[in-house]
Amino acid sequence: MNLVRKNDHKLMKVLLGPVISEKATMVADKNEQVVFQVAREANKLDVKQAVELLFKVQVDSVQIVNQKGKPKRYGRFEGRRDHTKKVGIVDLTAGELGTRGTKETRRVEAADASATLGVHVRKNLGMRDGFFTNDEVHQLQLIEIIRKYRPQIVLANAIDDRHPDHGRAAALATDAVFLAGLPKIITSDTGTEQEAWRPNLLLHYIQDRYIKPDILIDITPFWEQKVAAVKAYKTQFFNPELQEP
């Protein structure tokens, strides 16, 4: 029986990205296997052909495991996060200088958005919106968070943006990610000295100004969830009933 291969364009959409977790790393080291997150409709043949097309290797066998996201309660809401990764959000400021809304409404909206996304943890470092700087004091705040949660991948602000503090946030994240891996920089968490930790990858997203992307990821399976999270920031959208710009 002849097996029909999908065209290359369709195969490019099969692999959504690598799974970066402790278990996946153990599997790779022990069994010389790699773990990918794949499109829900993909079968074993699709995965085999996609890997062989992209990486120019011969695939001996494929195993597929369907896993449901873990439920996560955050405040008044309950959401669901992707089962393969833990995701956290660190807010540098409370967004108190925003034209619409207040510091308090932003806090409530952030909690609602986090519930929709099903994030594992969300922290606010309380830096001054618009005025924080990339100095030792602020770097140490972020280093402590990096060492506490030990992320594999960090997503940070755009390196250049209409808002000056967005660019400073990108520089702050860049420096903190590197410095967090230096053992001679001493930080502590609840009185216990932290171990050095440097994430494997730092990426900057695109905000106001266009920047040519290096990586494209198809988020179609999560698009409705993303839109719902954006809509959680209700005060940031025009409302004729409110006395705001």
Side-chain angles (χ1 to χ4, degrees):
M1 180 176 66
N2 294 327
L3 298 178
V4 180
R5 169 171 163 158
K6 290 184 177 180
N7 63 51
D8 291 353
H9 177 71
K10 291 183 178 180
L11 287 176
M12 293 290 286
K13 297 182 178 181
V14 170
L15 304 182
L16 302 182
V19 174
I20 301 176
S21 66
E22 292 184 11
K23 185 175 182 180
T25 301
M26 291 174 60
V27 168
D29 292 341
K30 183 178 180 180
N31 303 323
E32 296 185 349
Q33 297 175 336
V34 290
V35 183
F36 291 98
Q37 185 176 4
V38 302
R40 186 174 297 275
E41 67 276 8
N43 56 39
K44 292 183 179 181
L45 178 61
D46 295 336
V47 175
K48 179 180 186 297
Q49 292 178 345
V51 172
E52 291 179 340
L53 171 67
L54 291 173
F55 299 98
K56 310 303 180 186
V57 297
Q58 180 177 343
V59 177
D60 294 330
S61 63
V62 175
Q63 293 179 323
I64 293 180
V65 178
N66 292 312
Q67 294 178 313
K68 295 182 179 180
K70 297 179 180 179
K72 172 71 176 178
R73 176 164 292 279
Y74 200 107
R76 298 177 292 117
F77 294 83
E78 185 171 289
R80 187 169 291 275
R81 65 173 178 266
D82 179 22
H83 181 80
T84 58
K85 302 176 182 66
K86 290 183 178 180
V87 178
I89 298 176
V90 176
D91 299 307
L92 300 186
T93 77
E96 62 269 22
L97 295 184
T99 303
R100 294 174 178 166
T102 65
K103 183 177 180 179
E104 290 70 27
T105 57
R106 285 289 184 92
R107 177 181 57 80
V108 173
E109 291 168 347
D112 293 348
S114 297
T116 301
L117 294 172
V119 299
H120 182 257
V121 64
R122 186 161 190 168
K123 295 289 184 180
N124 193 302
L125 299 187
M127 298 179 185
R128 289 186 65 199
D129 190 17
F131 292 99
F132 68 85
T133 58
N134 181 18
D135 59 12
E136 181 180 352
V137 173
H138 293 87
Q139 289 168 2
L140 286 172
Q141 279 187 268
L142 199 49
I143 289 171
E144 290 176 5
I145 290 292
I146 292 171
R147 289 178 171 179
K148 179 175 182 177
Y149 293 105
R150 303 167 73 85
Q152 297 285 348
I153 300 175
V154 172
L155 305 179
N157 287 85
I159 55 178
D160 183 37
D161 188 70
R162 185 173 67 90
H163 289 242
D165 58 340
H166 291 176
R168 291 201 303 276
L172 174 60
T174 299
D175 290 348
V177 163
F178 176 79
L179 295 173
L182 301 180
K184 289 186 178 180
I185 295 178
I186 307 302
T187 59
S188 62
D189 179 40
T190 61
T192 302
E193 185 173 319
Q194 295 177 307
E195 294 183 3
W197 175 265
R198 183 174 295 147
N200 292 331
L201 184 63
L202 169 64
L203 299 173
H204 298 275
Y205 37 81
I206 301 170
Q207 294 183 263
D208 178 69
R209 296 171 180 167
Y210 176 76
I211 301 173
K212 184 179 179 180
D214 296 308
I215 297 175
L216 297 175
I217 298 178
D218 183 5
I219 63 168
T220 300
F222 304 98
W223 180 252
E224 292 184 2
Q225 188 177 14
K226 176 181 179 177
V227 172
V230 172
K231 289 182 177 180
Y233 294 91
K234 295 183 284 291
T235 62
Q236 303 308 298
F237 298 94
F238 177 71
N239 185 342
E241 297 180 0
L242 298 178
Q243 300 300 314
E244 291 186 316

